Amino acid sequence: MLLTPFLLYKYLDRISQIKTSFKKTSGSEEEAPLKKRVAYRVDVFFSVYPYAKLLALLFATILLIGFGGLALYAVSDGSLSEALWLSWTFVADSGNHADRVGVGPRIVSVLISSGGMLVFAMMLGLVSDAISEKVDSLRKGKSEVIEMNHILILGWSDKLGSLLKQLSIANKSLGGGVVVVLAERDKEEMEMDIAKLEFNFMGTSVICRSGSPLILADLKKVSVSKARAIIVLAADENADQSDARALRVVLSLAGVKEGLRGHVVVEMSDLDNEPLVKLVGGELIETVVAHDVIGRLMIQCALQPGLAQIWEDILGFENAEFYIKRWPELDGKCFQDVLISFPEAVPCGVKVAAMGGKIMINPDDDYVLKEGDEVLVIAEDDDTYAPGPLPEVDRSFLPNVVNPPKYPEKILFCGWRRDIDDMINVLEAFLAPGSELWMFNEVPEKKREEKLIDGGLDLSGLTNIKLVHKEGNAVIRRHLENLPLETFDSILILADESVEDSIVHSDSRSLATLLLIRDIQSKRLPCKEAKINPTRHIGFSHSSWIREMQQASDKSIIISEILDSRTRNLVSVSRISDYVLSNELVSMALAMVAEDKQINRVLEELFAEEGNEMCIRPAEYYLYDQEELCFYDIMVRGQQRQEIVIGYRLVSSERAVINPSNKMDTRKWSLDDVFVVICHGE
């Protein structure tokens, strides 16, 4: 009886042959042997059904008990039920039944016990495999995330650390939140990299999962339909490839059957690819074109030194930032009264309900708030401000100071960015006729013109600036010495396109170029010989802030594009250059738009070529030397210039103060102080 299953399997093909010999066969194809077909069916069974191993073990156990019981029944005097029960005890407790009497029962008991040991070993193997598979699944992040109202980050890049930091600060007032990261990396590696940040997440939990944002099953695993915001990071690769991947991710998100509860913030690399992503994603998509934004910001910082520090303070959640909220008690008030109604905030605009929610930054003073309108402010947090009674302010007239005329400028670009054509267009709009733009990089001149034309730049249409091409390596001293470095008003050190994939290499080049330029300048034009009146700022006092940015020659302003925040410490400690921390600023913008997608409209206008912009103004535009005024008085005087004063920097302080807390406190102001304003572009 015990040998029957083995005999059946051994001679399975013979049974098939006997069966087919009684049938009349036609000229059909020859069938595979029955043994192979059975083996194939078993293989399919184990591949398709997740519990196949367990069922096979159960079937083998029942088979062993059944045939063992029949064998015991044949060699003993007991009943069949007693023999089956005895067979089960041999299987369950193998090797402990040596007291059987007779040769036959002993042989059968040994065989059944041997089969029981085999079954027990198989069971241990299955249990061990199941536990190992479960632990491996947890380690690799294959389990489903059961969360709601979390922020989901799709992808991995160098900006992730700064982004997590900003989201943690934003969630601090709520006691923390949940951020889920889905990337095509090993879960343990992601967790180790996040742990290296050595940042206090202030109650925010960061959950990592390994998977592809292009696979719906992986998106479902991170509860994509229940997230309150989804951030799609740009890949660290070619701009077109990165944007193409972002487009595929948006298509995957659009295919989620359950629908999306939150909005999607997509980091784009090229402005030209933005319309296609918005067309596919619809109203849920908010785009932040990182590369173009940083390029425009560098132009603004070159024309207004110190502006990058202001944007760091406003974009991050550590200081003051933008908030939009409805205040019914302000209905019927004109904006000039609303402007001084918040002791702990600075109103900057109005979200007009009658215009479909359009945000007007720096509206007319006589605009009257209507029902449904919301107020855009700069405040410490969304629960730290509220309107109060109107203060008494000094509405005296402004000093009679006119804006100085524009003079031609000479600007140098070190390096090549893929959006350099857009930067040239911005300079063409800002600079006075007769200005020069020198372009110094390793791209051959003929190829440069081809790239500029392909980017949409009309070289023949440039009326305000003249392009001067110089070829060379910005980290080789003899190449830099061929340039008249002491004659430039501004020098922009760009993160070169050839090394932008490596932030360490890019920052090393930028830092080396900066040090070489400053050294060459200091030897050619010592500070004592450079105390001549600069051409750029004729018409008003040369503020201390601007002088700080002109250390070596007292003339050139150097703006360095920095990708890694650790490099910032080297630049800031040396105090030899202003800088634009591009990766961190982009992370701040992504975090702000993820928290409130309306803020994207505000950032788009402030960074655009037209409309309102952030500016730094000298104090003599608003007051006389040593005049005693409170901040409200200066805000009112700024209104007369159609400007919103949001902060200041004193001559004795190192950083600007945005949204000062004690706006009614009077102080003596110096003409060396500067004010930060939002105004219409010139």
Side-chain angles (χ1 to χ4, degrees), residues 464-479:
N464 293 336
I465 60 176
K466 174 187 175 183
L467 297 182
V468 180
H469 295 281
K470 295 293 180 180
E471 188 175 343
N473 193 331
V475 295
I476 298 178
R477 186 183 185 93
R478 68 176 183 274
H479 291 181

Side-chain angles (χ1 to χ4, degrees), residues 1-2 5 56-74 79-94 108-109 111-117 119-120:
M1 294 299 298
L2 290 173
L57 179 62
L58 179 62
F59 177 75
T61 304
I62 294 174
L63 197 66
L64 179 60
I65 293 172
F67 279 96
L70 292 175
L72 282 175
Y73 177 70
S79 62
L80 180 61
S81 59
E82 185 179 347
L84 291 173
W85 174 255
L86 195 59
S87 176
W88 156 248
T89 60
F90 289 166
V91 174
D93 195 11
S94 306
V108 173
S109 62
L111 293 175
I112 297 175
S113 297
S114 300
M117 284 187 260
V119 169
F120 184 69

Side-chain angles (χ1 to χ4, degrees), residues 11-23 33-34 37:
Y11 297 104
L12 205 57
D13 290 337
R14 298 288 181 87
I15 298 174
S16 177
Q17 293 173 4
I18 295 172
K19 182 179 178 181
T20 55
S21 64
F22 290 100
K23 294 184 177 180
L34 182 60
R37 282 183 280 157

Side-chain angles (χ1 to χ4, degrees), residues 28-57:
S28 59
E29 295 183 359
E30 183 180 354
E31 293 186 356
L34 182 60
K35 186 184 296 186
K36 288 187 177 181
R37 282 183 280 157
V38 171
Y40 171 71
R41 295 299 178 188
V42 171
D43 180 47
V44 171
F45 179 73
F46 276 95
S47 302
V48 173
Y49 298 99
Y51 300 106
K53 292 181 180 179
L54 186 61
L55 293 174
L57 179 62

Side-chain angles (χ1 to χ4, degrees), residues 292-530:
D292 294 73
V293 166
I294 295 303
R296 293 173 185 172
L297 181 58
M298 290 191 70
I299 297 294
Q300 293 181 8
C301 293
L303 302 177
Q304 301 182 78
L307 196 60
Q309 299 176 17
I310 304 300
W311 275 112
E312 278 189 49
D313 290 340
I314 292 180
L315 286 179
F317 286 98
E318 294 176 277
N319 300 297
E321 55 269 357
F322 290 107
Y323 293 101
I324 300 177
K325 191 181 290 188
R326 165 100 175 108
W327 299 99
E329 58 266 39
L330 297 179
D331 291 349
K333 289 188 177 182
C334 58
F335 187 75
Q336 65 178 354
D337 291 335
V338 174
L339 187 65
I340 55 175
S341 295
F342 291 88
E344 302 297 333
V346 177
C348 303
V350 179
K351 181 181 177 183
V352 184
M355 300 175 64
K358 179 182 178 181
I359 298 176
M360 290 196 310
I361 302 176
N362 189 16
D364 296 334
D365 293 342
D366 56 357
Y367 176 81
V368 178
L369 266 71
K370 304 175 181 61
E371 184 178 357
D373 288 353
E374 302 178 41
V375 181
L376 169 69
V377 303
I378 294 178
E380 183 70 24
D381 208 340
D382 59 351
D383 57 354
T384 59
Y385 70 99
L390 289 178
E392 295 183 4
V393 294
D394 180 10
R395 296 184 180 272
S396 57
F397 293 101
L398 287 168
N400 188 18
V401 177
V402 296
N403 291 337
K406 288 185 178 181
Y407 290 88
E409 299 197 31
K410 194 173 180 180
I411 298 177
L412 171 66
F413 280 2
C414 286
W416 182 275
R417 285 169 57 102
R418 56 177 174 268
D419 66 332
I420 203 166
D421 53 306
D422 295 326
M423 298 177 69
I424 295 174
N425 281 325
V426 174
L427 281 176
E428 169 71 15
F430 276 116
L431 297 183
S435 300
E436 291 184 3
L437 173 60
W438 289 51
M439 302 176 66
F440 177 68
N441 51 68
E442 297 180 86
V443 180
E445 181 177 345
K446 186 176 181 180
K447 192 172 181 180
R448 292 185 204 176
E449 294 181 354
E450 293 176 357
K451 287 189 173 185
L452 293 174
I453 294 174
D454 290 342
L457 180 65
D458 183 11
L459 296 176
S460 61
L462 298 177
T463 58
N464 293 336
I465 60 176
K466 174 187 175 183
L467 297 182
V468 180
H469 295 281
K470 295 293 180 180
E471 188 175 343
N473 193 331
V475 295
I476 298 178
R477 186 183 185 93
R478 68 176 183 274
H479 291 181
L480 288 171
E481 287 178 339
N482 294 328
L483 301 173
L485 296 176
E486 70 279 5
T487 65
F488 293 106
D489 296 289
S490 299
I491 299 175
L492 276 70
I493 302 175
L494 311 176
D496 198 272
E497 184 179 25
S498 60
V499 294
E500 65 180 356
D501 292 342
S502 172
I503 62 173
V504 176
H505 192 186
S506 177
D507 285 358
S508 298
R509 285 180 61 94
S510 298
L511 194 57
T513 303
L514 169 63
L515 295 173
L516 288 172
I517 290 175
R518 279 308 191 198
D519 184 54
I520 295 172
Q521 282 185 331
S522 62
K523 291 179 179 178
R524 290 183 182 177
L525 188 62
C527 295
K528 62 182 180 180
E529 299 177 6

Side-chain angles (χ1 to χ4, degrees), residues 518 521-522 525-527 530-531 544-558 574-577:
R518 279 308 191 198
Q521 282 185 331
S522 62
L525 188 62
C527 295
K531 300 297 183 181
S544 62
W545 195 349
I546 297 174
R547 284 201 299 270
E548 282 187 14
M549 303 308 169
Q550 301 170 335
Q551 292 277 322
S553 67
D554 203 25
K555 180 176 175 62
S556 294
I557 297 170
I558 299 185
S574 61
R575 301 178 65 82
I576 54 177
S577 170

Side-chain angles (χ1 to χ4, degrees), residues 96-152:
N96 292 325
H97 301 280
D99 56 346
R100 301 298 298 168
V101 179
V103 177
R106 286 181 179 178
I107 293 175
V108 173
S109 62
V110 169
L111 293 175
I112 297 175
S113 297
S114 300
M117 284 187 260
L118 180 61
V119 169
F120 184 69
M122 292 172 60
M123 183 178 66
L124 286 179
L126 287 177
V127 173
S128 177
D129 289 346
I131 294 175
S132 299
E133 186 177 348
K134 187 62 178 178
V135 172
D136 188 60
S137 175
L138 294 174
R139 181 177 60 84
K140 292 185 177 181
K142 296 181 179 179
S143 60
E144 185 176 353
V145 175
I146 311 297
E147 295 288 348
M148 293 183 64
N149 295 323
H150 57 288
I151 292 181
L152 175 61

